[in-house]
Amino acid sequence: MTSHKILTIFNHQPTPNTHQLSPKIITFAPMNIKEIENKRIAVLLSGGVDSSVVVHEFAQLGLHPDCFYIKIGPEEQEEWDCSSEEDLEMATAVSHKYGCKLEVIDCHKEYWDQVTKYTMDKVRAGLTPNPDVMCNRLIKFGAFDEKRGHDYDLIATGHYAMTETDENGDKWLCTSPDPVKDQTDFLAQIADWQLKKALFPIGHYVKDEVRVIAEREHLVNAKRKDSQGICFLGKINYNDYIRRYLGEQTGDVIELETGRRIGEHKGLWFHTIGQRKGMGFGGGPWFVVKKDVANNILYVSHGYDPETAYKQDFPVKDFHFLTKQLQPTDVTFKIRHTPEYHPATLEWTSPNEFVVHSKEKIHGVAPGQFCVVYDENHHHCLGSGEITT
């Protein structure tokens, strides 16, 4: 294990055609004592094992930071609130174990007004949103900062990500050594000032190491399963939730290659580009390959792996730069939360827009998804933008 008290300095040679970092990079271990000494630190404690080990990491340094549990959920709080008693009970037990104060911050209204509205607006427009990405920007590092986080210098979370500060004082978001759990794609929309305040104390671990620490320390949630799906839904079915707010709007399902009508859908918002399960159309398998929102038509292709399910070139708009506004050409990227990084070149059409020319065909490219861009070695996360048509 890397010692938390060691300041590592190493030489980094910038990769051609990507952002030009200074040759000398000062890399802080996520819990370097010099980075956090004399700092006011808030820990976002969810009740899960990752954020609980964050509190343990501070305790190892003799620190007892203030902990905060954020309540979120959609509009009808009484019926749909996902802030379970179990989450709060576990967060309370962990904060008590390490002698930390725990405060509950209600961000329910902010979540509905911002994240849930964003999700429904995108879905209604036939796009593929990512509410968890916007939750980090608007709630965990946004609404929380407005309510309580502004009283603190650093906000620590249980994300699997790291940061590096170069000799110019610029802070970069860096990938975790755990390729499966890396969460830089979920953080690629946070603002620069939010990144400056962000601290990821377990980002240098892989998940198995975090589990070992939790079991060794007898944390109450050591064997608890990771949460799945959209954070505010809990056990609620996503389609049931959409149906509650958007209802149904039936339309034709057309085979793209032949123009043949094969059935009827109940609403474009129940389907995503690349979907191949749960559609209920006979004569399959079918892949969703296109949506015609204006005419309410869902286009599908037949087969287990049709060519129409893939794209190699696609445009990205409203690109958000995490640290600096750059225009790299040779990069790697992701369009969904997977361990794989895809090599590509970017053709910049404006300061915040480009066309991705992937070196391989990508399955399920959908308007509305975030394209997250990294350097060629997928070490630094440069930011993300929205895939468009």
Side-chain angles (χ1 to χ4, degrees):
M1 296 290 179
T2 302
S3 170
H4 296 309
K5 298 185 179 181
I6 295 177
L7 177 63
T8 305
I9 300 179
F10 68 95
N11 289 325
H12 171 89
Q13 297 301 323
T15 306
N17 297 322
T18 62
H19 59 288
Q20 297 297 306
L21 293 177
S22 300
K24 187 179 181 183
I25 294 294
I26 301 174
T27 302
F28 292 100
M31 290 288 286
N32 182 272
I33 196 67
K34 292 183 178 180
E35 186 182 12
I36 62 177
E37 62 183 355
N38 302 318
K39 297 287 176 55
R40 298 165 299 172
I41 301 170
V43 175
L44 300 188
L45 191 55
S46 67
V49 65
D50 298 326
S51 59
S52 298
V53 172
V54 166
V55 182
H56 163 75
E57 294 292 279
F58 282 112
Q60 291 293 98
L61 298 176
L63 302 175
H64 306 280
D66 294 338
C67 297
F68 296 89
Y69 177 86
I70 298 178
K71 289 181 65 177
I72 57 174
E75 195 172 29
E76 289 85 357
Q77 185 174 12
E78 293 78 12
E79 182 176 351
W80 293 92
D81 187 14
C82 73
S83 300
S84 69
E85 288 185 16
E86 184 180 10
D87 287 336
L88 186 54
E89 286 174 358
M90 290 193 173
T92 302
V94 170
S95 59
H96 178 75
K97 175 182 176 70
Y98 291 109
C100 300
K101 294 189 300 181
L102 178 67
E103 183 177 338
V104 178
I105 304 297
D106 190 345
C107 290
H108 157 264
K109 184 178 185 302
E110 290 81 4
Y111 199 101
W112 167 256
D113 289 345
Q114 299 177 57
V115 180
T116 312
K117 183 179 184 301
Y118 150 83
T119 304
M120 294 304 152
D121 286 348
K122 292 291 185 183
V123 168
R124 186 185 289 110
L127 303 175
T128 303
N130 192 321
D132 290 332
V133 169
M134 300 311 290
C135 181
N136 283 319
R137 175 174 180 150
L138 300 174
I139 305 300
K140 293 179 181 176
F141 293 100
F144 171 73
D145 195 82
E146 293 175 8
K147 292 193 170 194
R148 289 292 279 112
H150 59 269
D151 293 328
Y152 296 85
D153 302 305
L154 297 170
I155 297 176
T157 71
H159 285 102
Y160 286 84
M162 300 195 299
T163 59
E164 287 181 355
T165 302
D166 64 27
E167 60 184 8
N168 296 319
D170 292 320
K171 191 173 183 179
W172 299 87
L173 180 65
C174 304
T175 51
S176 163
D178 189 329
V180 174
K181 294 300 295 182
D182 176 76
Q183 292 173 306
T184 52
D185 52 331
F186 291 134
L187 294 162
Q189 278 283 313
I190 64 174
D192 55 352
W193 67 267
Q194 294 172 326
L195 178 59
K196 290 175 182 177
K197 291 187 69 168
L199 187 65
F200 308 119
I202 64 165
H204 59 307
Y205 291 131
V206 298
K207 183 71 181 193
D208 288 347
E209 292 175 315
V210 170
R211 289 285 185 193
V212 167
I213 293 171
E215 293 182 13
R216 184 190 70 211
E217 300 302 317
H218 306 291
L219 297 185
V220 64
N221 48 18
K223 296 184 182 297
R224 195 181 191 194
K225 293 182 179 180
D226 292 342
S227 60
Q228 301 291 330
I230 298 172
C231 52
F232 68 78
L233 288 183
K235 297 179 180 179
I236 300 169
N237 179 273
Y238 182 57
N239 282 347
D240 289 342
Y241 182 73
I242 293 176
R243 184 177 289 106
R244 181 180 183 92
Y245 288 99
L246 301 184
E248 295 183 354
Q249 188 177 26
T250 58
D252 290 338
V253 180
I254 303 294
E255 185 174 12
L256 181 68
E257 292 80 3
T258 66
R260 179 172 62 97
R261 183 184 185 275
I262 67 160
E264 185 178 80
H265 66 80
K266 295 184 178 180
L268 292 178
W269 38 75
F270 297 121
H271 302 281
T272 58
I273 304 298
Q275 179 184 349
R276 61 179 174 181
K277 294 181 179 179
M279 289 184 283
F281 309 135
W286 299 101
F287 265 89
V288 175
V289 294
K290 182 181 176 182
K291 296 180 183 181
D292 182 344
V293 178
N295 296 301
N296 195 28
I297 297 173
L298 183 71
Y299 287 97
V300 298
S301 287
H302 187 268
Y304 286 98
D305 201 21
E307 183 70 19
T308 49
Y310 291 83
K311 282 189 177 181
Q312 199 160 357
D313 306 287
F314 54 90
V316 172
K317 67 175 184 177
D318 301 329
F319 190 79
H320 169 72
F321 296 92
L322 279 166
T323 302
K324 286 183 176 180
Q325 185 157 330
L326 308 159
Q327 290 193 341
T329 52
D330 295 329
V331 299
T332 53
F333 73 93
K334 288 184 179 184
I335 63 167
R336 56 178 60 88
H337 186 60
T338 60
E340 294 81 24
Y341 299 84
H342 306 288
T345 58
L346 304 185
E347 177 189 348
W348 290 85
T349 55
S350 78
N352 295 89
E353 296 183 354
F354 52 81
V355 177
V356 174
H357 299 294
S358 176
K359 295 183 179 177
E360 55 197 8
K361 293 181 179 180
I362 307 299
H363 176 266
V365 178
Q369 287 174 317
F370 286 110
C371 176
V372 187
V373 175
Y374 300 81
D375 62 19
E376 282 188 287
N377 299 316
H378 48 80
H379 179 59
H380 291 91
C381 179
L382 307 184
S384 67
E386 184 178 317
I387 298 173
T388 185
T389 55

